[in-house]
Amino acid sequence: DILGGSRSLLFNKFRKYFFEGFKAILKHREKILILVKMMYASQGEVMQCFQQGEKAIIDLENRFLISGDFDQLTDHKLYELTNQLINESLDNWRARWYDKYQYYCQGIFY
């Protein structure tokens, strides 16, 4: 809504920047995963993000497309994938409730 709706010029720019950011992160995915695994090994029991144990790391690997054929991933396919992620998040009830929580608890407008 803030960007003028999912069909606006600003939202299309968001899609482009999200794709570029995701592409940049993928270049460093192995380093990120090593750091996360080190955090889990040393503090996994006390950190909330690791409540589900090693499943949290497996889920992160899946988000980084480790399980897929990464070498065959073209920019076009990655752009389609990032747009699919964005489309799946549109009007997601969890995102809406989190926005409301942020507004009421932190004063952050959504």
Side-chain angles (χ1 to χ4, degrees), residues 35-45 50 57:
L35 290 172
V36 170
K37 288 175 182 180
M38 287 171 45
M39 288 170 45
Y40 177 71
S42 65
Q43 300 290 321
E45 310 83 43
F50 294 122
I57 294 172

Side-chain angles (χ1 to χ4, degrees), residues 54-67:
E54 290 187 27
K55 183 179 181 309
I57 294 172
I58 292 168
D59 288 347
L60 180 60
E61 288 173 339
N62 289 338
R63 286 187 200 112
F64 281 142
L65 311 172
I66 299 298
S67 60

Side-chain angles (χ1 to χ4, degrees), residues 97-110:
W97 278 100
Y98 183 75
D99 289 345
K100 289 179 187 209
Y101 168 81
Q102 287 290 338
Y103 175 71
Y104 289 113
C105 295
Q106 307 292 328
I108 300 171
F109 184 72
Y110 59 97

